[in-house]
Amino acid sequence: MAVRQADGGTYAIPASWPRDAPDVRRLRLLALAGGSALVILCALVLCLLHAGHRGNLDWNAALAMSLLSAGLTGTLAMGAYAFGLRTLFIRQKSLEDDLRRRDAAYREQASYDELTGLPARTLLTDRVRLAIAEGARTDNQFAFMIVGMDHLKEVNDSLGHGAGDALLCEAAVRLQLQMRPFDTVARLGGDEFAVLLPGARGLDNAGLVAHKLIDALTAPYLLDGHEVIVSACIGVALYPDDAVAIDELFRFAGSALYHAKREGRNNVRFYVTELTARSSERLEMAAALHKAVRCGELEVYYQPQIDLRDGTIAGVEALLRWHRPGHGMVAPDKFIPVAEESGQIVEIGEWVLDAACRTAAAWNRTLERPVAVSVNVSTRQFMRHDFVATVERVLAGSGCRPAWLKLEITESLLLEDNEEVARMLGRLHALGLVISIDDFGTGYSALGYLYRFPVSQIKIDRSFVSDIPQDVNKSELVKAILSIAAALRLQVIAEGVETQDQVDYLLAHGCWCVQGYLFGAPMPAAALAPILHAGCRMTAGSSAPAIMEFRHSETTMVIKA
């Protein structure tokens, strides 16, 4: 037997509890009737024996004594039975009371969060349902918000889960202090809270409250003697403008929160219809991407990196391309974030690494001057505990030498100052691999990692190169980066080079290696191989350098002066 809880679940009544089924009742009645008949029979036999012993037999007296004995015995039996029933009833009542207490406890547990004491999802859903009913009756509006806090995992990892729990409790108090008595603050679980604002009218009112909440949540926290600062984002859905159903309000506010987090920290995002379309597109793309590797839809393209001193191809960068059926060529900035979020980037990254190593091995078997291939490594892919073993396995299986492979990582990975990261980079460097920092300068202003980690190369991000030398500020930044690299004896590659003015500026300030559409677009390995084996040189300087243009409808490279 099971009893339904308030949250929809069930729990079982112990097997030892009595069950007053009809069969049991019938057995009890039969036992009582049989016992009474047995008592009468025994009394009659005793009476007959007594009369026979005395030598005279008075049937009337015997019958009277038998009935009297049966009545007395039956009365005693009925009294005992009634006493047993009373005991059973008391026990049954006690068990039923215990069941009711347990049910009330389960309802309380389902209605309130155990850690913060705030309403949980069940009670929140009931209050949203009441707000919807009230809104339908009176045409009142209300706002529903989902609040997501950042860095809870970092707090748990660095200060312990006790500090993380204290952070959530303090955040719950801060949220409640900003609310009116009839507003609802609830905890959805993890690092997410929900806020129900009855009577909130329009975007301005809800937006004002949302920013007040962010200001309250982002003030410093004192946890175990440490001052901790976290960020938060809020997604907002309005009733009835955005939705009139409970599940839609939850879903739309959650979608708005997701996009608020993607745009940065401490953001407020209101739901719009386009967000649902984007979410559906993202889910569809993630499902299609799951089978892309197995179906041969992915391909690695290669973009040449040019040494400006002699015009030779100093290396190439492996760049992923997706030929999605029915959609054509999908831009990397469309599907790479989806792969990152879904975790598929680990499998895809390993596939790209293997393909690039096999291509490098095939090229360098016949080239007089070996060409190194640069492969981008995502943070999630790198932080896998077996990443170094994966690299070793791929190198051994492809026949690629470590000197022919460069791994491009992001600044954010190094800025974590993680001992495990340092250990893994040390192992990769010991194998003979070159570690390069991709998109250098776009991260945080912390350069200490340049000498703490075995970094050999930095790549100046295209956002800095695109406007030199016209933009004075960016030109000075590029000059400063080149000076730092020279002082630390680091190789430098400038990305996104597309004009002769950019080439002249970079050459003048000591940048010898560039990459960009001025010299070559990303192309399949089959198209780049003839250029490598022909040993083509692209001169640079005062005259316009050669431009390599890949025609996607052909399989050859056209070199134009």
Side-chain angles (χ1 to χ4, degrees), residues 287-546:
L289 194 58
H290 182 69
K291 63 178 182 179
V293 176
R294 298 169 181 81
C295 295
E297 299 172 13
L298 299 180
E299 184 179 1
V300 179
Y301 276 35
Y302 300 88
Q303 187 173 30
Q305 298 167 340
I306 310 302
D307 189 332
L308 295 178
R309 292 169 294 188
D310 57 12
T312 58
I313 298 178
V316 296
E317 180 180 3
L319 300 167
L320 183 62
R321 295 294 182 264
W322 182 14
H323 302 276
R324 186 180 178 187
H327 295 78
M329 186 76 75
V330 182
D333 60 350
K334 295 292 185 182
F335 70 87
I336 292 296
V338 175
E340 289 274 5
E341 294 164 9
S342 64
Q344 298 177 72
I345 193 65
V346 176
E347 179 186 5
I348 293 174
E350 184 172 340
W351 180 85
V352 172
L353 179 65
D354 183 74
C357 287
R358 293 183 183 279
T359 300
W363 283 342
N364 291 329
R365 288 192 191 101
T366 56
L367 289 176
E368 295 182 3
R369 181 180 177 182
V371 173
V373 178
S374 300
V375 178
N376 291 277
V377 180
S378 74
T379 299
R380 176 173 292 191
Q381 181 186 2
F382 186 90
M383 291 307 295
R384 286 188 58 177
H385 294 300
D386 59 347
F387 178 71
V388 177
T390 298
V391 173
E392 293 175 334
R393 184 180 67 252
V394 169
L395 289 174
S398 63
C400 178
R401 298 179 184 176
W404 299 342
L405 178 62
K406 294 181 181 180
L407 297 179
E408 296 188 3
I409 60 177
T410 61
E411 286 182 285
S412 59
L413 179 65
L414 301 180
L415 289 169
E416 293 185 7
D417 198 16
N418 190 310
E419 292 183 2
E420 179 67 13
V421 172
R423 187 182 64 83
M424 293 174 64
L425 288 175
R427 291 177 58 190
L428 293 170
H429 181 72
L431 290 175
L433 302 177
V434 172
I435 306 299
S436 177
I437 302 177
D438 194 21
D439 301 332
F440 183 82
T442 60
Y444 303 95
S445 300
L447 301 178
Y449 61 81
L450 289 176
Y451 63 84
R452 290 201 308 272
F453 298 102
V455 175
S456 302
Q457 184 185 83
I458 60 176
K459 299 185 72 175
I460 304 177
D461 187 66
R462 65 182 68 250
S463 62
F464 297 124
V465 176
S466 61
D467 295 323
I468 61 171
Q470 292 82 11
D471 189 316
V472 176
N473 293 328
K474 289 186 177 180
S475 298
E476 290 300 322
L477 282 173
V478 170
K479 187 191 301 184
I481 292 173
L482 291 172
S483 298
I484 293 172
L488 297 177
R489 300 182 181 85
L490 298 175
Q491 303 171 20
V492 181
I493 297 179
E495 294 183 296
V497 176
E498 297 180 355
T499 67
Q500 179 60 39
D501 288 341
Q502 294 168 356
V503 171
D504 292 339
Y505 184 87
L506 293 169
L507 273 173
H509 293 89
C511 181
W512 314 122
C513 193
V514 298
Q515 175 182 342
Y517 278 79
L518 180 62
F519 297 95
M523 63 196 78
L528 183 57
I531 307 300
L532 294 173
H533 289 89
C536 296
R537 296 174 181 269
M538 278 68 71
T539 60
S542 58
S543 60

Side-chain angles (χ1 to χ4, degrees), residues 32-54:
L32 180 61
S36 300
L38 181 62
V39 167
I40 294 174
L41 180 61
C42 291
L44 181 60
V45 170
L46 289 174
C47 182
L48 290 174
L49 291 174
H50 178 72
H53 177 71
R54 295 182 60 182

Side-chain angles (χ1 to χ4, degrees), residues 163-209:
D165 291 345
L167 173 65
L168 291 172
C169 292
E170 175 65 21
V173 172
R174 294 184 183 187
L175 288 172
Q176 288 179 297
L177 290 176
Q178 301 298 320
M179 296 292 100
R180 300 166 297 182
F182 50 86
D183 294 332
T184 297
V185 179
R187 186 182 177 213
L188 299 180
D191 58 0
E192 288 189 350
F193 297 88
V195 175
L196 174 63
L197 295 175
R201 295 187 175 275
L203 301 179
D204 293 339
N205 190 350
L208 180 63
V209 175

